[in-house]
Amino acid sequence: MASKRHHSSRGFLESENGAIRKSWKNRLKIALVYPNRYAVGMSNLGFQTLYRLFNAYDAIVCERAFLPEASAAQNVPITTVESGHPLIDFDIVAFSVSFENDYLNILSILNQAALPLKAVHREPPFPLVLAGGVACMLNPEPLSPFIDCFLIGEAESLLDNFLNTFDPGKDRRSLLKQIARDVPGAYVPRFYSACYHDDGTLRSFDPVAEVPARVIRQAPGDLSNIPTNSAVLTPFTTFDATCLVEVSRGCPHGCRFCSAGYIYRPPRFRSLDLLKGCLEEGARRTDRIGLVGAAVSDLPEIDTLCRQACDKDIRLSFSSFRADALTPELLAVLKKSRVKTATIAPDAGSQRMRDVINKGISEDTILAATRTLVSAGIPNLKLYFMVGLPFEDPSDIDAIVSLCLKIRRCFLEASRPVGRIGQITVSISSFVPKPFTPFQWVAMHPSARLKKNIRHIRKGLASIANIRISSDNPRRAFIQALLSRGDRRVGELLELAHRHNGNWPRAIKESSLVPDFFVLRERSTDEKLPWDFIDSGIDTKYLIREFRRAAKGRTTPVCSPGTCRLCGACDGAAPESLVAAPS
């Protein structure tokens, strides 16, 4: 067990060579596993944060492990980066799960680590298998047969209670029951039972032991004094030795497709003083600092932070910024940082569809941003669009082509005076309905329709110079939807896919489950959903209201924390007079 009073004072690390290496003697041993390759995991700030938080306890030694490279033999045991120990030697194996499509990798890692796949078959001395992360916050059920305990929420509010309760010497069932009962945010699947109607829909989801009926997502209400920075710098990541600094969590804009915009409500921003300190700390390690957040440009003091970066010759990059928030300070830091590509996310081609998804930007704003960015010396643009959005019709697909052509005209006009013409990359992804959003009830479009729309966009832009098109695979998006919207029965299908080395068509053919039931079926707003046992802090009536407003193409103002009670996130209650207001 570990508690706050045992925190060490170790700060951030300079490089992978300086990774935390502690003696194992008399310490709780945790293997922190990212279910993907090293480069992907070490690019994930959430994973790095967990590594730092765990190792801040003197009583804990936390080491990292990753999915082996594709060239590695499948029967090679997975070992940790720091000491080379196999996962089976640890007290806890903790997975940080960001993406549903990594679920298969979790099963592969358990198998390669010589750990039983099913949680019910793992008793001491096997380690306890823990999972958390944004994918688990949305819907842990497809993974539930394989995980002993999920932690639902943000690590800063979860770890102390969990670690103070965990006892490696205790009987596993008794320990898990104590965790489920006494640790807010802990979900232990074995203590819950799901029953179904004859039509396959969920009838009930109830505890079968003395544990809470609902699991409440945990989150710190104030992040102004909680820094979240890269713990380890390495060139072998997407960001190439960049120190990542989280400026905020959540997003005030309420795009109706975006799960992060809802489960991280209310949006919270770091204080300027804290961020200045993070920049100074990062500048002592590298000249490259990446600001991370759902909408970095919404930080109230972003201009001041940009000026500080310019004054200190820091090359600053941004995980995201909105087209309607391009200030002179922001442009100056982009230019000084020698940014070669800027991203604009219209998400939809028509204004009608942007109103449906509550995007909150107009075509004029998108075109103005194009001119501004290119005139500032940024030669390349990347544009993000989705196909398969709710209430989409063929004219909305045509509108994506039309908007891209308008953007290209502005792009060329702004490029000629600077003497260089770059490239526009149009990225097209298939919309996947996600839990805890206003679109959680909608049916995903069939893969054939998504492919047709992608082909239509490609054909419309195929012969246009300076435009390159990339798109996802709708079949892969279908699997993502299955894993994000399924119940615990989908775990059986997941195990079949694992046995067939990721061959989903073969697994689906052999399974008695019909994936279309989970993916392509529109759900009633009064249907019990697999993730309803999680209290996300958002009132379901608010999500229904937003869904109905989307159907009518009505927009909703940006979230204003503390000044309204519409969604329930700020105070846990949304009064009837507001949620019942005309939609």
Side-chain angles (χ1 to χ4, degrees):
M1 292 183 287
S3 66
K4 251 183 185 176
R5 62 181 178 274
H6 297 310
H7 281 190
S8 70
S9 59
R10 176 181 282 273
F12 303 115
L13 305 173
E14 291 298 323
S15 67
E16 183 65 81
N17 291 333
I20 296 171
R21 288 174 171 84
K22 291 181 180 179
S23 166
W24 279 35
K25 187 176 181 180
N26 299 323
R27 283 192 168 100
L28 181 69
K29 298 174 285 295
I30 300 177
L32 178 62
V33 186
Y34 195 84
N36 210 308
R37 315 295 179 191
Y38 175 92
V40 179
M42 291 306 293
S43 299
N44 185 285
L45 186 54
F47 178 79
Q48 290 227 24
T49 299
L50 279 171
Y51 179 64
R52 177 174 56 82
L53 290 174
F54 275 130
N55 276 307
Y57 296 89
D58 281 333
I60 290 174
V61 55
C62 176
E63 300 184 356
R64 295 161 295 149
F66 303 89
L67 187 73
E69 293 301 320
S71 59
Q74 291 237 340
N75 59 356
V76 173
I78 295 176
T79 58
T80 58
V81 172
E82 285 76 7
S83 69
H85 277 81
L87 301 189
I88 203 167
D89 287 352
F90 289 79
D91 299 304
I92 296 173
V93 173
F95 286 96
S96 175
V97 192
S98 301
F99 306 104
E100 292 89 354
N101 286 105
D102 285 338
Y103 287 1
L104 262 185
N105 294 339
I106 293 175
L107 272 61
S108 297
I109 290 169
L110 291 173
N111 185 61
Q112 287 183 249
L115 298 175
L117 287 185
K118 294 288 186 69
V120 293
H121 298 151
R122 284 194 302 268
E123 298 294 336
F126 288 120
L128 182 137
V129 176
L130 189 68
V134 65
C136 300
M137 291 166 62
L138 293 172
N139 179 20
E141 281 301 273
L143 269 182
S144 62
F146 315 103
I147 304 298
D148 292 308
C149 176
F150 293 90
L151 293 182
I152 307 298
E154 299 171 34
E156 295 89 349
S157 293
L158 286 162
L159 294 189
D160 271 351
N161 286 327
F162 172 79
L163 293 169
N164 283 327
T165 306
F166 181 77
D167 183 349
K170 194 169 185 177
D171 170 74
R172 181 62 51 86
R173 182 177 177 83
S174 298
L175 172 63
L176 287 172
K177 189 173 181 180
Q178 183 181 358
I179 290 171
R181 186 181 63 240
D182 297 342
V183 177
Y187 167 51
V188 179
R190 71 174 68 184
F191 297 132
Y192 297 81
S193 176
C195 295
Y196 304 93
H197 294 290
D198 291 341
D199 65 359
T201 58
L202 186 62
R203 184 175 69 191
S204 62
F205 188 87
D206 300 308
V208 294
E210 294 179 3
V211 298
R214 301 200 76 195
V215 177
I216 301 175
R217 176 186 65 90
Q218 301 297 297
D222 182 11
L223 293 173
S224 60
N225 293 308
I226 303 176
T228 302
N229 303 339
S230 296
V232 177
L233 292 185
T234 171
F236 305 110
T237 69
T238 305
F239 303 108
D240 190 17
T242 298
C243 178
L244 302 180
V245 176
E246 186 185 53
V247 303
S248 64
R249 278 184 207 163
C251 177
H253 295 280
C255 294
R256 293 173 177 135
F257 60 85
C258 179
S259 55
Y262 285 89
I263 61 169
Y264 286 112
R265 283 195 176 199
R268 291 149 291 157
F269 296 90
R270 262 49 181 232
S271 66
L272 179 60
D273 287 343
L274 180 71
L275 292 175
K276 283 182 175 180
C278 290
L279 254 62
E280 291 172 359
E281 173 70 29
R284 288 193 283 270
R285 306 162 65 199
T286 177
D287 67 341
R288 299 179 182 181
I289 295 179
L291 301 185
V292 176
V296 173
S297 51
D298 284 303
L299 180 72
E301 299 88 1
I302 186 64
D303 290 346
T304 303
L305 210 60
C306 286
R307 284 193 293 269
Q308 178 178 343
C310 286
D311 292 343
K312 293 183 177 296
D313 289 325
I314 295 172
R315 294 177 61 181
L316 211 58
S317 58
F318 305 87
S319 65
S320 62
F321 54 80
R322 286 180 59 89
D324 54 359
L326 292 175
T327 64
E329 289 81 4
L330 186 58
L331 290 168
V333 78
L334 290 173
K335 187 172 184 179
K336 188 163 186 176
S337 299
R338 301 189 290 279
V339 171
K340 301 299 182 186
T341 302
T343 298
I344 300 176
D347 289 316
S350 67
Q351 189 60 51
R352 183 191 75 86
M353 186 54 63
R354 285 193 294 275
D355 289 343
V356 165
I357 64 176
N358 205 44
K359 183 65 183 181
I361 57 173
S362 67
E363 182 176 291
D364 287 345
T365 299
I366 295 166
L367 298 179
T370 299
R371 296 187 191 94
T372 300
L373 289 166
V374 177
S375 298
I378 299 171
N380 305 306
L381 290 181
K382 188 167 188 177
L383 308 175
Y384 281 110
F385 292 96
M386 285 183 284
V387 294
L389 287 163
F391 314 113
E392 175 188 273
D393 61 39
S395 67
D396 297 307
I397 304 302
D398 291 332
I400 292 176
V401 175
S402 176
L403 180 57
C404 287
L405 294 176
K406 291 177 183 178
I407 289 172
R408 178 180 178 270
R409 283 196 291 272
C410 292
F411 176 81
L412 293 176
E413 290 170 1
S415 296
R416 290 189 182 102
V418 298
R420 179 170 56 171
I421 298 178
Q423 187 176 64
I424 298 172
T425 300
V426 178
S427 179
I428 309 165
S429 62
S430 304
F431 166 72
V432 174
K434 288 298 181 82
F436 298 112
T437 70
F439 293 154
Q440 65 179 355
W441 295 281
V442 305
M444 185 174 174
H445 288 192
S447 296
R449 179 175 171 183
L450 294 169
K451 289 177 181 177
K452 179 182 177 181
N453 287 340
I454 291 171
R455 285 197 301 269
H456 185 80
I457 296 169
R458 285 186 175 276
K459 183 178 180 181
L461 299 174
S463 61
I464 308 301
N466 307 106
I467 289 184
R468 185 175 70 88
I469 304 168
S470 66
S471 62
D472 69 356
N473 182 339
R475 287 298 301 172
R476 184 173 170 82
F478 179 94
I479 298 301
Q480 182 188 354
L482 173 66
L483 296 175
S484 66
R485 309 184 79 202
D487 55 40
R488 58 176 55 185
R489 293 173 295 183
V490 173
E492 302 169 13
L493 186 53
L494 186 61
E495 186 174 4
L496 266 178
H498 163 71
R499 289 178 186 170
H500 295 316
N501 297 314
N503 187 332
W504 279 99
R506 182 178 174 185
I508 290 170
K509 186 176 181 180
E510 291 184 10
S511 174
S512 60
L513 287 179
V514 180
D516 290 3
F517 175 81
F518 301 99
V519 180
L520 304 182
R521 178 178 61 90
E522 182 170 343
R523 307 184 190 195
S524 166
T525 54
D526 59 5
E527 179 179 331
K528 194 172 188 65
L529 301 173
W531 50 88
D532 278 347
F533 72 94
I534 298 174
D535 184 346
S536 70
I538 304 295
D539 194 296
T540 302
K541 293 176 183 177
Y542 176 77
L543 297 179
I544 294 172
R545 174 180 178 268
E546 283 297 289
F547 179 42
R548 291 171 178 166
R549 289 180 68 83
K552 297 176 181 179
R554 294 183 179 177
T555 61
T556 297
V558 297
C559 176
S560 182
T563 64
C564 82
R565 297 174 60 203
L566 276 175
C567 75
C570 289
D571 57 6
E576 289 294 323
S577 61
L578 292 178
V579 297
S583 57

